[in-house]
Amino acid sequence: MGKRAWAFSLLFLVVLAYLSHVHGDVHPGKKQHDHQKKKMKAFKASFIRRDSIAKSPSPSPSPSPSPSPSPSPSAVTVTPGPRVYHVTSYGADATGKLDSTQAILQAISDALQGPTNGFLMQGISNLGGAQINLEGGNYLISQPLQFPVVGRGNLMIHGGTLKASDNFPTDGYLLDLSTSSNNAPEYFFEFITLRDLLLDSNFRGGGIQVINSLRTSIDNCYITHFTTNGIFVKGGHETYIRNSFLGQHITAGGDQVERNFSGTAINIIGNDNSVTDVVIFSAEIGIILSGQANLISGVHCYNKATGFGGTGIYLKLPGLTQTRIVDSYLDYTGIVAEDPVQLHISNTFFLGDAFIKLKSINGLVNGVNIVDNMFAGSDKGIDIVQLDQSNGHFKTIDQVVVDRNNVKGMNLKSTIGSGVVQGNGTSWIVDFNPILVFPNLIKNVQYTFYPSRNSFVNHALRNVSNNRVWIESQEQVPASVFVVVNQGT
């Protein structure tokens, strides 16, 4: 007899004794017998129910239940599974030895043509957050992973490495958000997230291309060995590049082949984009912006040094810049702005004689603030702000403020200057050329004439030209003259 059956029998005898004690001896009468039998059945049933809840099912296999009738179609509830597409399920080789192009393209195609839930921007279907999971693998790619259909949004590709093969096209991009269709909507894609990726272009082409797309997010990516652009953005709106690292050559500065660095890390032709918390460690040009209302924040450029012909940030939209560069670090490589209009540069550190160059294209500079920055150089006489007027002089200069910059080992330049001259005579001249940014331009002058003897002397501002201020008194007198000038307003 099993332990459970034995225990149940013992308990049954105890209960029977208890009932006999309460109700007296069991009599052979039918009525009394039936009454006691009903009580025992009820107690036994309650005991079995409690026992079945308290004990876990026996691990021994039980007979298969008889098939029950199928529910009607209206009673069936279908719970959709997560929309995660694992590329290895499509045959991608995570070791990087075999070509995985077609497998990953198929995963992308299935994701883009999967279930949708309404729309985002007009003409763009919402994929509901579908994911293409690279599963931490290393995949060899022989052709651009161009999205096969457009008009899709809310999709993520993440978690792995893509490397261009030796026969990858030199003008291609590993991840390509563009289309060759002539019937594409105004915007191709929306809310596509590329995250946690290492893209190795193998010195054949670029890393990521984003064309006419909305709210693309490139986050925590490492893009290297590109020869064209690490990231290329054209058209669209609000591409955000953040927390990423880009470099043509993998180095940590002071590279022996730095003179040979080429390519551009980030090239943006469009409006309202943001580059935040990004490191660019090798390229000929760190960032090119050819659009307005863009933001660069927390960017560290130590790509090809200016002394070797490199540029950290190049603003290439003459007459319509409208860009902010803040809280960044230009390391031996500077900023060039063509005909800047509404440009703000502040709270940025320039190291190693890095400077800001204003380049004349049509001779316009308007609404420029270069304030509250730090410059550190090597006492080579480098100006912190320089003018490139090889294409013609700046003719329209308005609302330009270069001021409150902290300078060590470089020449301070400003649009606001002050000076003092002392002497005994009738003429006092203060030369502001060493500090003023623009040649032969002083818009406002304030001066104080302070004679050393207690007498009143007539004096006047006689001339302002070539950034020199000339004060003359009616008679010879020992005096000090304090002058403040402004080029910006």
Side-chain angles (χ1 to χ4, degrees), residues 325-362:
I325 302 174
V326 298
D327 301 323
S328 294
Y329 179 12
L330 278 297
D331 193 346
Y332 281 81
T333 185
I335 297 174
V336 177
E338 295 183 350
D339 277 1
V341 172
Q342 291 191 312
L343 168 64
H344 183 87
I345 303 173
S346 69
N347 297 326
T348 291
F349 181 40
F350 295 80
L351 178 67
D353 293 318
F355 58 85
I356 299 170
K357 179 180 290 185
L358 308 180
K359 184 174 182 177
S360 173
I361 302 299
N362 298 306

Side-chain angles (χ1 to χ4, degrees), residues 111-126:
L112 293 175
Q113 298 183 73
T116 60
N117 183 13
F119 292 87
L120 300 173
M121 193 72 178
Q122 183 176 2
I124 298 180
S125 301
N126 181 7

Side-chain angles (χ1 to χ4, degrees), residues 136-464:
N138 192 339
Y139 304 96
L140 191 65
I141 305 299
S142 58
Q143 69 183 70
L145 298 175
Q146 185 179 48
F147 284 20
V149 296
V150 296
R152 300 291 189 273
N154 198 3
L155 169 73
M156 178 190 295
I157 301 177
H158 67 99
T161 296
L162 302 176
K163 181 178 180 180
S165 65
D166 291 338
N167 59 343
F168 190 89
T170 57
D171 60 349
Y173 290 83
L174 284 167
L175 284 171
D176 191 352
L177 274 65
S178 70
T179 183
S180 56
S181 172
N182 296 323
N183 298 318
E186 179 183 4
Y187 298 111
F188 301 163
F189 305 100
E190 181 179 2
F191 192 34
I192 303 296
T193 300
L194 308 175
R195 194 180 74 186
D196 304 335
L197 301 171
L198 190 154
L199 304 180
D200 184 349
S201 298
N202 193 25
F203 298 107
R204 300 186 63 83
I208 298 173
Q209 177 170 248
V210 181
I211 306 295
N212 290 343
S213 296
L214 294 173
R215 292 171 272 277
T216 303
S217 178
I218 301 172
D219 188 9
N220 192 34
C221 290
Y222 188 113
I223 303 173
T224 188
H225 299 151
F226 49 86
T227 52
T228 53
N229 301 288
I231 299 173
F232 179 66
V233 178
K234 184 177 181 180
H237 204 245
E238 295 169 349
T239 295
Y240 270 45
I241 304 168
R242 55 179 173 258
N243 305 324
S244 294
F245 303 86
L246 297 96
Q248 184 183 52
H249 297 266
I250 298 179
T251 179
D255 197 289
Q256 294 182 353
V257 299
E258 183 174 344
R259 294 177 181 272
N260 300 323
F261 289 174
S262 63
T264 299
I266 299 174
N267 189 346
I268 298 177
I269 305 174
N271 306 334
D272 304 292
N273 305 289
S274 175
V275 181
T276 304
D277 298 328
V278 167
V279 174
I280 299 171
F281 53 87
S282 64
E284 183 173 11
I285 301 176
I287 300 174
I288 293 180
L289 287 180
S290 303
Q292 64 201 76
N294 293 296
L295 170 64
I296 297 176
S297 173
V299 171
H300 180 192
C301 291
Y302 64 99
N303 51 295
K304 191 174 185 176
T306 299
F308 295 152
T311 304
I313 301 172
Y314 199 113
L315 307 176
K316 199 174 179 60
L317 185 64
L320 200 58
T321 314
Q322 294 180 329
T323 289
R324 293 155 292 160
I325 302 174
V326 298
D327 301 323
S328 294
Y329 179 12
L330 278 297
D331 193 346
Y332 281 81
T333 185
I335 297 174
V336 177
E338 295 183 350
D339 277 1
V341 172
Q342 291 191 312
L343 168 64
H344 183 87
I345 303 173
S346 69
N347 297 326
T348 291
F349 181 40
F350 295 80
L351 178 67
D353 293 318
F355 58 85
I356 299 170
K357 179 180 290 185
L358 308 180
K359 184 174 182 177
S360 173
I361 302 299
N362 298 306
L364 172 66
V365 54
N366 190 337
V368 173
N369 298 325
I370 301 173
V371 296
D372 300 320
N373 302 287
M374 293 192 297
F375 294 82
S378 52
D379 294 310
K380 294 180 180 178
I382 305 295
D383 296 339
I384 65 169
V385 177
Q386 302 179 16
L387 304 179
D388 180 351
Q389 300 186 91
S390 57
N391 294 322
H393 294 288
F394 283 106
K395 300 181 288 292
T396 303
I397 303 168
D398 191 24
Q399 299 185 78
V400 179
V401 179
V402 181
D403 194 28
R404 301 195 310 270
N405 294 297
N406 182 313
V407 179
K408 180 181 180 182
M410 299 178 71
N411 293 338
L412 174 66
K413 302 295 286 187
S414 178
T415 56
I416 300 172
S418 62
V420 59
V421 61
Q422 297 174 321
N424 187 351
T426 59
S427 180
W428 289 263
I429 297 176
V430 183
D431 186 358
F432 289 97
N433 280 295
I435 190 171
L436 293 181
V437 173
F438 299 99
N440 194 25
L441 177 66
I442 294 178
K443 293 188 174 183
N444 292 289
V445 177
Q446 291 180 317
Y447 78 92
T448 301
F449 189 90
Y450 185 73
S452 59
R453 69 189 185 195
N454 190 16
S455 61
F456 179 81
V457 178
N458 290 329
H459 51 83
L461 174 63
R462 302 295 286 179
N463 184 268
V464 177

